[in-house]
Amino acid sequence: QVQLVQSGAEVKKPGASVKVSCKASGYTFTNYYMNWVRQAPGQGPEWMGVNNPSLGDTMYAQKFQGRVTFTTDTSTSTVYMELSSLRSEDTAIYYCAREGARGVIMADFWGQGTLVTVSS
Amino acid sequence: EIVLTQSPGNLSLSPGERATLSCRASQSVSSSYLAWYQQRPGQAPRLLIYGASTRATGIPDRFSGSGSGTDFTLTISRLEPEDFAVYYCQSYGSSPLYSFGQGTKLEIK
């Protein structure tokens, strides 16, 4: 069965960086794009960008351009999301989500989420 | 940017009743590119409907989606206790690639 398992919760100080991992299993890793979505406390989800594990190309939401980087390790079927210059507004749950079909199915499977807390 | 506005923000109903949730887009959206997600407390969102009206795998037939252009609806025909959750509509566009509505919280009356 398809599973996306994310790394554990993080607490960071303002200005620091955080790197969240998402390990995929149960399907051919390089056949599906991976989206990253975050959700601040009490808010709706927010799309951050998408990663192509096969070719390594990425697309970032304009809001995060210059601060976010997606990388892939095909040997372990793991994708990573790194967010830099953290501020308190980045406190949120970060999800990886497998894209079922571009445009039609943004996310058919989700990771369990990683809580990132930014606090001095 | 496509802005999705969901209404109502909160909906209080009893088990067995019918729920009707609305999602209005700021510009026309292809029906192929409109989806609905359910999120229970402490859980990740779950895909319910894609292509405006196609149920995802394993989703009960009491859930149905409809609409076109700028107005879309999610209907739950007879509410079960596990249906009380937050529901989000989501669309595909250009920048950002994907947008979400602010959600409708369905509460037990």
Side-chain angles (χ1 to χ4, degrees), chain A residues 4-9 20 93-96 110-116, chain B residues 44:
Chain A
L4 302 175
V5 179
Q6 298 183 222
S7 49
V20 177
I93 298 174
Y94 289 76
Y95 294 101
C96 58
W110 295 68
Q112 83 276 18
T114 297
L115 175 61
V116 175

Side-chain angles (χ1 to χ4, degrees), chain B residues 14-52:
Chain B
S14 300
E17 290 193 293
R18 180 185 186 91
T20 303
L21 286 65
S22 175
C23 176
R24 176 161 290 178
S26 60
Q27 58 188 271
S28 185
V29 174
S30 167
S31 295
S32 298
Y33 299 151
L34 194 288
W36 291 91
Y37 292 83
Q38 176 194 66
Q39 188 174 33
R40 295 174 176 145
Q43 296 185 15
R46 176 175 73 142
L47 178 66
L48 290 178
I49 300 283
Y50 63 92

Side-chain angles (χ1 to χ4, degrees), chain A residues 2-7 20-25 27 34-37 39 79 93-99 106-115, chain B residues 39 42-46:
Chain A
V2 174
Q3 280 195 304
L4 302 175
V5 179
Q6 298 183 222
S7 49
V20 177
S21 67
C22 169
K23 182 174 176 60
S25 62
Y27 68 98
M34 194 73 76
N35 284 290
W36 286 89
V37 175
Q39 190 169 27
V79 293
I93 298 174
Y94 289 76
Y95 294 101
C96 58
R98 191 185 83 163
E99 185 174 87
M106 188 212 75
D108 54 1
F109 291 92
W110 295 68
Q112 83 276 18
T114 297
L115 175 61
Chain B
Q39 188 174 33
Q43 296 185 15
R46 176 175 73 142

Side-chain angles (χ1 to χ4, degrees), chain A residues 2-119:
Chain A
V2 174
Q3 280 195 304
L4 302 175
V5 179
Q6 298 183 222
S7 49
E10 302 263 13
V11 179
K12 296 292 182 180
K13 294 196 182 301
S17 297
V18 68
K19 192 170 186 177
V20 177
S21 67
C22 169
K23 182 174 176 60
S25 62
Y27 68 98
T28 302
F29 176 66
T30 51
N31 283 0
Y32 292 85
Y33 285 64
M34 194 73 76
N35 284 290
W36 286 89
V37 175
R38 78 176 187 180
Q39 190 169 27
Q43 304 298 311
E46 178 179 32
W47 180 77
M48 299 180 68
V50 61
N51 180 38
N52 178 357
S54 177
L55 300 178
D57 54 307
T58 57
M59 181 187 303
Y60 303 124
Q62 190 171 6
K63 175 177 180 177
F64 301 100
Q65 284 274 4
R67 280 210 304 145
V68 71
T69 304
F70 300 153
T71 53
T72 304
D73 182 345
T74 54
S75 69
T76 60
S77 299
T78 302
V79 293
Y80 299 89
M81 185 282 299
E82 184 169 20
L83 187 63
S84 62
S85 303
L86 290 169
R87 34 207 188 233
S88 58
E89 311 90 86
D90 294 318
T91 293
I93 298 174
Y94 289 76
Y95 294 101
C96 58
R98 191 185 83 163
E99 185 174 87
R102 174 55 51 91
V104 180
I105 300 176
M106 188 212 75
D108 54 1
F109 291 92
W110 295 68
Q112 83 276 18
T114 297
L115 175 61
V116 175
T117 303
V118 182
S119 174

